[in-house]
Amino acid sequence: MVYSQRSLAARRLLLSHLLLAIWEAGSGQVHYSVPEEAKHGTFVGRIAQDLGLELAELVPRLFRVASKGRRDLLEVNLQNGILFVNSRIDREELCGRSTVCSIHLEVIVERPLQVFHVDVEVKDINDNPPRFFRQEQKLFILESRIADSRFPLEGASDMDIGANAELRYKLNSNEYFDLDVKRNEEETNFLELVLKKPVDREETQEHNLLLIATDGGKPELTGTVQLLINVLDANDNAPEFDKSIYNVRLLENTPNGTLVIKLNASDADEGINKEIVYLFSNLVLDNVKSKFIIDSNSGEITVKGELDYEDCNLYEINVDAVDKSAFPLTGHCKVIVKLLDENDNTPEMVITSLSLPVQEDAQVGTVIALISLSDRDSGSNGQVTCTLSASHIPFKLVSTFKNYYSLVLDSALDRESVSGYAVVVTARDGGSPSLSATASVSVKVADVNDNAPAFAQPEYTVFVKENNPPGCHIFTVSAPDADAQENALVSYSLVERRVGERALSSYVSVHAESGKVYALQPLDHEELELLQFQVSARDAGVPPLGSNVTLQVFVLDENDNAPALLPPGAGGVGGAMSQLVSRSVGAGHVVAKVRAVDADSGYNAWLSYELQPSVGSARSLFRVGLYTGEISTTRALDEADAPRQRLLVLVKDHGEPALVATATVLLSLVDSGQAPKTPLRMSSGTTGPEVALVDVNVYLIIAICAVSSLLVLTLLLYTALRCSAPPTQGVCEPGKPTLVCSSAVGSWSYSQQRRQRVCSGEGPPKADLMAFSPSLPQAPSSSDNPRQPNPDWRYSASLRAGMHSSVHLEEAGILRAGPGGPDQQWPTVSSATPEPEAGEVSPPVGAGVNSNSWTFKYGPGNPKQSGPGELPDKFIIPGSPAIISIRQEPTNSQIDKSDFITFGKKEETKKKKKKKKGNKTQEKKEKGNSTTDNSDQ
């Protein structure tokens, strides 16, 4: 007999396909289907074309397919973009008895990164025949059982689904038994063997039947089982249950010992035949016996093992009720236990990192990682949502497909601010209470060269003493780079330029790694006071970034230049300074002047003068101005004083240690009325033992000459030569009042007295040889209380040297003699006078050394004011060592205008011309005076 229930199965299959079609239409994803057990290479679909990808870009964009579980079932041919079967697909192994079975594929391409989701449905084929758990089933039936008695049978099972799993049963033909198939609430078949007429043990003790199960597939597959029926002697009434099928719902994870159901069976017999024992039928599988236990006396079924919905959600328990008679009768029932799902499984999360580390210049929307979620629970307990725990991070989650999410960049990154993020992803299901799982993704930010090296300040000032050793370290520059690794490796270099005629790299160098700046050669303050250059800092990034810094290196002056003596004129260098002094001069009269300059600057160039005392002599007749260098008398001269005076003047600067130069001044005392004729000579001497030795020799010669008759002969010869010289016109002729100004470094003095022309017996008078009578005596206490240097001591050596050059007053600025006075042409000098009573000549406001406008002011000690058309007879021009002469002649006199006011160089030019004319006469005179000179030396 065949029983079929195709209508109900067909409805269920149609409903499932309808739901699948609706889901596919809403998902917007690509779906394929393939039958199970397909051969290798079976075509599935043109996946590249369906995803909108070009075949030529599959390899360059790193096209790849990933799937959960076994990854070799399906494969893509990158040459034609076809998805094909790579290995055997067994639907029952892959999905079990699930009605829907599909393989989920993730298709990933890069440049740019894209993720596609593809579902491949595995269709069932009828590859599994119906199977019975036992090859033989035994039944015991009393011969007293009446017709229509029913005996349960174990049905077959089919691993296929749908129509392939719809079973029909057929019992081979016989006269005693028939087959009845019922459908329970759980859509399972319940088989019963129905007794058509009573059996007779005496006639037949054993019946062999064949039960055949046939599925609904094409082709049909069958399974069989042997039914062995033993006929027993009579027991009139068998126990009976209240129901033949009991349905029980039970929560999973129910603790052991929990009562599932209490069965109750009754027997109409009396006595021992009425007592019933409850037993699990031999149809109950071992896994069911491991989960449940039955009390044989009370019929209570309790939980014995762990119940897990995810392992098995339905249990069928066949229970027999047997009486205790000698020939027991049995009643049968089935208990179906259905488990209810609880939220006892936490979500599972798998994170696949794709783009780590992330470049800090990555675009917003860049995919960082792929996240897949799953939960073994069902219903709302298995619905999982994904969130990020932290809110202030530049990332967000984007749902791509069902339980798939992408972690993407939400805002710009800056590695210098934050170099890495610990992104915590939380997956939470919809159960009550809900369960969650967390996972941390460490996102490192890769550095990009977006920061240039930065100096702390745009300019540095460095002070270096001159005469430094070559290769000395003078400064260190540092430009940190906020980037990392090679982008933060900074190298330093000079920005090359020319410094005068030389390259900058010949002066300084910079270490490429440490940034140390070295001076390659000794620096000279007098040559280079300020060295300004730039240092460049470049990182090693691609492309490199850099910045520059300016270094101003000031070369500080050291006292490395000794004072240099200047000749009295503007000409060349001669021997010792020789000067004729009249014995008629009084105390404080200036007889000579020592001039010197120092190439250094500041205190190192501030000079002082000191007269070295003679060995074994009394108080010296002369003294020298501490800061002026003027040699003046300390008292009036008399005949007892030696006619030859040798003075050693020490010129010191104020450096540490002080440097010294020595000037030798030879003074010849002559009677009044005699004109000096010996030219001035100037040379620098030596200090120390050599000077002392020269002094001893001079005094020995003088001592010998004093006791020798040679002294008398020398005086007679000198007198005879002077008397034999013809008188010269204008000799000792009193001249007009003349203003004479002389200078030392840092100070000025003035005098207006009569001027004596020093004349010789031959030739015209020397216009540039002048003798001065004292105007004011020098205070003895001036050496004790030295005056501070005037402001012009701060001028550099080159500036002071320029002051010594000759200037024609006719070519320079304007001298204002006073209110209402005339304007005259004068040179420009900048300083201040040490004597405020004398008055001053000052430049205009803001004028420098080369300024051309000057104003003369009388001091409070000299109230005289010039009238209109008159020149001032007393003035001071600070800061210049030149000697200026002003000759006031009558207006009707025929005088060359160039002789009105002259400086050293112009006078020197006249001297040279005059020297050429009277050269022979001077030679004769020098021969006549050689005896006297030799005695002095």
Side-chain angles (χ1 to χ4, degrees), residues 466-745:
E466 65 173 333
N467 302 321
N468 57 283
C472 72
H473 172 229
I474 61 175
F475 193 68
T476 300
V477 295
S478 178
D481 195 313
D483 293 322
Q485 298 177 352
E486 67 274 3
N487 296 331
L489 296 178
V490 180
S491 60
Y492 303 91
S493 62
L494 287 176
V495 179
E496 188 61 70
R497 69 178 185 88
R498 305 290 296 180
V499 180
E501 298 297 328
R502 300 171 58 182
L504 174 65
S505 56
S506 64
Y507 287 95
V508 292
S509 68
V510 60
H511 193 274
E513 296 179 0
S514 64
K516 291 184 177 181
V517 182
Y518 299 94
L520 299 180
Q521 63 180 12
L523 301 177
D524 189 356
H525 173 80
E526 289 71 37
E527 177 187 349
L528 186 65
E529 295 184 5
L530 172 62
L531 179 61
Q532 181 170 323
F533 57 92
Q534 286 188 329
V535 175
S536 174
R538 292 288 183 274
D539 58 29
V542 179
L545 301 178
S547 60
N548 295 345
V549 66
T550 301
L551 265 67
Q552 290 187 336
V553 179
F554 287 90
V555 183
L556 301 180
D557 183 53
E558 290 282 301
N559 193 24
D560 57 344
N561 292 281
L565 299 174
L566 297 177
V573 178
M577 178 187 290
S578 299
Q579 181 68 47
L580 298 180
V581 181
S582 175
R583 290 181 180 273
S584 63
V585 298
H589 181 75
V590 177
V591 297
K593 181 177 180 66
V594 178
R595 294 181 299 166
V597 294
D598 195 314
D600 294 321
S601 62
Y603 275 90
N604 297 330
W606 183 19
L607 303 182
S608 63
Y609 302 84
E610 179 183 345
L611 190 61
Q612 182 174 352
S614 301
V615 178
S617 63
R619 180 183 177 188
S620 176
L621 295 176
F622 303 95
R623 63 169 173 254
V624 64
L626 180 61
Y627 299 110
T628 64
E630 295 178 346
I631 301 175
S632 58
T633 57
T634 59
R635 59 177 175 82
L637 303 179
D638 53 28
E639 296 298 332
D641 296 325
R644 288 289 184 177
Q645 299 288 333
R646 182 184 179 87
L647 304 179
L648 293 179
V649 179
L650 302 181
V651 184
K652 298 182 180 180
D653 57 27
H654 285 71
E656 292 183 1
L659 300 180
V660 181
T662 304
T664 303
V665 182
L666 300 178
L667 300 178
S668 300
L669 304 184
V670 298
D671 295 334
S672 59
Q674 294 179 339
K677 60 180 175 42
T678 306
L680 294 176
R681 294 177 297 168
M682 185 72 174
S683 69
S684 61
T686 58
T687 61
E690 295 180 1
V691 175
L693 182 59
V694 172
D695 291 341
V696 172
N697 293 334
V698 171
Y699 286 116
L700 288 175
I701 294 173
I702 294 175
I704 294 172
C705 292
V707 297
S708 171
S709 59
L710 293 178
L711 179 60
V712 178
L713 295 176
T714 302
L715 293 176
L716 291 177
L717 181 60
Y718 178 74
T719 305
L721 290 175
R722 285 189 57 81
C723 293
S724 64
T728 303
Q729 182 179 1
V731 175
C732 303
E733 179 182 353
K736 297 299 179 180
T738 303
L739 176 64
V740 179
C741 301
S742 59
S743 169
V745 177

Side-chain angles (χ1 to χ4, degrees), residues 390 393 395 418 420-425 439-444:
I393 56 175
F395 305 100
V418 182
Y421 298 88
V423 181
V424 179
V425 182
S440 179
V441 180
S442 180
V443 180
K444 299 296 182 182

Side-chain angles (χ1 to χ4, degrees), residues 29-30 32 46-53 63 107 116-118:
Q29 302 297 321
V30 177
Y32 299 110
R46 300 185 181 276
I47 187 171
Q49 178 179 348
D50 296 337
L51 293 178
L53 300 175
F63 181 95
V107 179
F116 302 95
H117 296 276
V118 177

Side-chain angles (χ1 to χ4, degrees), residues 90-287:
D90 187 355
R91 184 188 184 284
E92 288 72 34
E93 179 184 351
L94 190 65
C95 301
R97 297 295 304 274
S98 176
T99 57
V100 178
C101 182
S102 62
I103 301 174
H104 181 74
L105 302 178
E106 292 181 8
V107 179
I108 302 172
V109 291
E110 297 185 1
R111 303 172 187 170
L113 179 66
Q114 289 180 286
V115 180
F116 302 95
H117 296 276
V118 177
D119 272 342
V120 179
E121 181 185 0
V122 180
K123 292 186 176 181
D124 183 51
I125 64 173
N126 193 23
D127 57 341
N128 292 282
R131 296 180 183 275
F132 291 93
F133 288 101
R134 295 178 178 83
Q135 296 180 355
E136 182 182 78
Q137 295 186 26
K138 292 183 177 181
L139 285 82
F140 297 94
I141 301 176
L142 289 173
E143 62 177 342
S144 59
R145 297 296 296 266
I146 61 175
D148 202 30
S149 295
R150 295 176 179 269
F151 306 94
L153 296 176
E154 177 188 358
S157 62
D158 196 318
M159 295 299 295
D160 296 323
I161 62 170
N164 296 329
E166 293 181 359
L167 302 180
R168 303 188 306 276
Y169 295 91
K170 181 173 66 173
L171 192 64
N172 64 327
S173 299
N174 65 89
E175 58 178 325
Y176 293 101
F177 298 97
D178 198 359
L179 183 65
D180 184 19
V181 180
K182 295 182 178 179
R183 198 86 173 173
N184 58 25
E185 295 179 1
E186 301 302 327
E187 303 292 330
T188 61
N189 294 325
F190 181 65
L191 304 180
E192 287 182 328
L193 186 65
V194 180
L195 184 62
K196 292 194 291 182
K197 66 178 183 177
V199 293
D200 186 359
R201 183 178 182 278
E202 288 72 24
E203 181 180 348
T204 305
Q205 294 184 0
E206 209 174 70
H207 297 271
N208 291 317
L209 302 177
L210 181 64
L211 179 62
I212 302 173
T214 305
D215 60 25
K218 293 182 180 180
E220 296 178 346
L221 299 178
T222 61
T224 61
V225 64
Q226 291 287 334
L227 300 180
L228 183 59
I229 302 174
N230 293 318
V231 180
L232 302 178
D233 279 338
N235 184 8
D236 296 332
N237 295 290
E240 293 183 359
F241 288 96
D242 299 336
K243 298 179 179 179
S244 59
I245 298 175
Y246 295 90
N247 291 292
V248 180
R249 296 181 181 273
L250 191 66
L251 291 175
E252 66 172 330
N253 302 321
T254 299
N256 293 341
T258 302
L259 177 64
V260 176
I261 191 173
K262 183 177 181 180
L263 299 177
N264 183 30
S266 60
D267 194 323
D269 294 328
E270 295 294 334
I272 196 173
N273 293 332
K274 189 175 183 180
E275 296 180 5
I276 299 173
V277 176
Y278 299 92
L279 301 172
F280 282 148
S281 170
N282 53 7
L283 301 178
V284 176
L285 302 177
D286 293 337
N287 69 323

